Amino acid sequence: MAMDLADLAAFVTVARSGGFREGARAGGGSASSLSEAVRRLETRLGVRLLNRTTRSVAPTEAGARLLERLGPALGEVEAALDVVNGFRDRPAGTLRLNVPLSAARLVLPAIVPPFLAAYPEIRLELVVEDGFVDMLAAGCDAGIRYDERLEQDMIAVPIGPRRQRFATAAAPSYLDRRGRPDHPRDLLDHECLLGRFPSGSLTAPWEFERAGEIVRVDPSGPLIVRVGASDLTIAAAVAGTGIIHLFEDWLRPQLESGALEPVLEPWWQVFSGPFLYFPGRRHLPAPLRAFVDFIAARTPGLIPAARTP
């Protein structure tokens, strides 16, 4: 049974994205063309592949089975076609990265503009989310994660600063009113500003470390903001609502201006910076290989793809 490869690819895009509009944004086409492609595919197969409602699109049982087998197969087709990139003067194509908001805000701004300037024929697409996802199932070539969230059997390359800290801070007006904590456990008597991950869990307990002693506290407070809207949490902290616990680099402007005052700084926990991770394939897509080499060139002493977790 002859099938149009473009129709198969359209189905995979829509199924992974969860909708025709979302698939159009991910693939750069139009929702109507994706809908028509999936309709042609269903007609040729004689089976419904997607359940469509006004609010969502989800694979049927047949569609889920097809997606499970088709995704890796199309990936192999893309890898085979990408071999041609080796004969070009400059690599071209789309590079899809799945990254947490912290990396999108704190790491990539210094990397993305010069990378795109060096490789004008590469299109970079960022999927920004803090939930735990299967990077390959999400249709991405690589991801950025911290050590404890790295998936197994992946190649990991350091990217961005190698040392980072979580900073705890509050507005001077709040500290003048409520007092300045001397020990992490003192936070239990304070108003603290918390976040919530997409999974539903809170960004707590907060962890501190000093001279080998680790202290975890589970604070509470008047505000909980979903991870990804941290600007609201920062604004609340500056306004004197409570104590914030966030990446030091994220709070640096407020700390340097004096809008926020460091709290318990000797206890701020140091952790390793993020990693770019991807499957250990013999042949990497040309855009990803260019990105890995670009990172390596900016990091003296780094060997590309040198670490596996």
Side-chain angles (χ1 to χ4, degrees):
M1 182 184 298
M3 290 291 159
D4 189 323
L5 189 61
D7 290 351
L8 293 171
F11 162 70
V12 171
T13 298
V14 173
R16 284 174 170 172
S17 302
F20 292 98
R21 290 183 180 178
E22 294 79 0
R25 285 195 290 267
S30 69
S32 60
S33 63
L34 288 176
S35 178
E36 182 60 31
V38 172
R39 188 175 293 109
R40 281 196 304 268
L41 183 61
E42 289 177 327
T43 299
R44 289 175 182 172
L45 292 174
V47 64
R48 179 177 289 276
L49 299 174
L50 297 174
N51 286 321
R52 305 161 175 84
T53 70
T54 56
R55 294 186 176 181
S56 65
V57 172
T60 62
E61 183 178 355
R65 295 287 184 87
L66 179 61
L67 180 63
E68 181 181 353
R69 300 293 297 273
L70 195 57
L74 286 178
E76 288 300 316
V77 171
E78 290 178 359
L81 293 174
D82 189 67
V83 172
V84 179
N85 249 329
F87 295 90
R88 299 173 58 93
D89 294 333
R90 291 182 296 187
T94 298
L95 172 61
R96 297 181 180 89
L97 300 180
N98 185 283
V99 306
L101 180 64
S102 57
R105 176 155 187 169
L106 302 176
V107 175
L108 292 180
I111 296 174
V112 168
F115 172 73
L116 293 178
Y119 297 96
E121 295 182 48
I122 290 179
R123 179 190 183 195
L124 180 61
E125 180 181 341
L126 299 180
V127 179
V128 181
E129 56 188 347
D130 282 286
F132 292 97
V133 299
D134 184 328
M135 176 260 295
L136 293 178
C140 294
D141 303 294
I144 295 178
R145 288 292 183 268
Y146 288 86
D147 227 348
E148 71 276 9
R149 293 191 176 186
L150 284 176
E151 298 178 19
Q152 296 300 313
D153 303 321
M154 291 281 179
I155 302 298
V157 176
I159 184 172
R162 300 324 307 147
R163 290 179 74 257
Q164 292 184 285
R165 293 195 300 178
F166 269 111
T168 310
S173 61
Y174 172 89
L175 297 172
D176 291 342
R177 184 174 73 252
R178 297 292 303 272
R180 288 163 172 77
D182 295 318
H183 190 277
R185 294 191 187 92
D186 294 339
L187 294 173
L188 297 175
D189 297 322
H190 281 266
E191 304 290 348
C192 295
L193 310 177
L194 304 176
R196 190 181 296 279
F197 290 110
S199 64
S201 61
L202 292 174
T203 56
W206 293 356
E207 191 167 293
F208 300 86
E209 184 174 0
R210 182 178 184 181
E213 179 186 1
I214 296 177
V215 178
R216 297 179 180 88
V217 296
D218 198 359
S220 61
L223 180 65
I224 299 175
V225 176
R226 183 173 176 131
V227 171
S230 297
D231 287 348
L232 173 58
T233 313
I234 295 172
V238 170
T241 306
I243 296 177
I244 191 172
H245 185 70
L246 199 61
F247 286 91
E248 179 184 8
D249 290 340
W250 212 321
L251 297 179
R252 190 176 303 282
Q254 291 77 22
L255 292 170
E256 291 180 349
S257 70
L260 291 178
E261 178 183 320
V263 172
L264 300 169
E265 187 169 4
W267 288 90
W268 290 1
Q269 190 177 53
V270 177
F271 56 95
S272 63
F275 293 86
L276 175 76
Y277 73 102
F278 47 89
R281 301 169 180 163
R282 180 176 300 177
H283 173 75
L284 291 182
L288 177 56
R289 169 52 64 189
F291 192 65
V292 171
D293 291 343
F294 184 81
I295 293 170
R298 293 168 59 92
T299 310
L302 176 64
I303 301 175
R307 178 188 176 279
T308 55

